Amino acid sequence: MKKLLFILIVCISMQTFSQPFVNFFSEDGYKFWVVVEGKKFNNTPKYRVDSIKLQNDWAKVKIIFENPELSSIDKTVMYFQDESGKKGSVTYNIKRNNRGKFVVR
C-alpha cells in the first residue's frame, strides 16, 4: 500500500511540475541550428532539436541550416494550450512546401 501511495504521489508531482517544451525536426534530415530570441540553442547542427523552453508563451525563432545553400527560416512559435488553459509541448516540422521553399509547421 505504501508503495502504491508513493507511486501515485510521484506521478502527480511529475504532472504538476512538468513544463512544456518546443521541439523541432527536419522531415528531410537536414541538420540545422535553432536560434531563439537571438540566442543559439544547439552548438552543433542536428536534424532534431528537443526540449527548448521558452521564456514567454511565444518566441521569435530562426532556423539556420548547416548547408549554406539553404535559406534560413524565421518563425514565431508558441506553446499549445487546451481549453482549460494548460500548456503542452509542441513539435514543429521543418519541410518543403509545394513551391520547394522550407517552412515550419
Side-chain angles (χ1 to χ4, degrees):
M1 185 67 171
K2 288 182 182 182
K3 209 177 227 185
L4 180 62
L5 182 61
F6 176 74
I7 291 172
L8 182 63
I9 290 171
V10 168
C11 289
I12 290 172
S13 65
M14 286 176 59
Q15 185 83 21
T16 305
F17 295 112
S18 66
Q19 294 184 346
F21 294 102
V22 177
N23 310 299
F24 294 91
F25 79 96
S26 172
E27 189 174 86
D28 299 327
Y30 291 108
K31 292 184 177 182
F32 58 90
W33 290 278
V34 177
V35 180
V36 179
E37 297 292 341
K39 185 177 178 184
K40 191 181 278 189
F41 187 79
N42 53 320
N43 295 327
T44 59
K46 299 179 180 182
Y47 72 93
R48 181 174 184 88
V49 179
D50 294 320
S51 304
I52 299 173
K53 189 172 141 185
L54 304 180
Q55 297 299 321
N56 300 310
D57 291 343
W58 60 273
K60 297 275 187 183
V61 173
K62 184 177 204 105
I63 305 296
I64 302 171
F65 291 100
E66 178 183 40
N67 183 348
E69 295 177 5
L70 302 176
S71 60
S72 62
I73 305 169
D74 291 313
K75 179 80 175 174
T76 300
V77 297
M78 60 184 63
Y79 291 123
F80 168 77
Q81 191 168 349
D82 65 10
E83 304 88 34
S84 65
K86 184 178 178 185
K87 296 177 187 173
S89 296
V90 178
T91 299
Y92 288 96
N93 183 6
I94 301 168
K95 64 181 209 169
R96 292 185 190 262
N97 64 10
N98 294 338
R99 298 180 185 167
K101 182 179 176 185
F102 280 99
V103 293
V104 176
R105 298 214 170 128

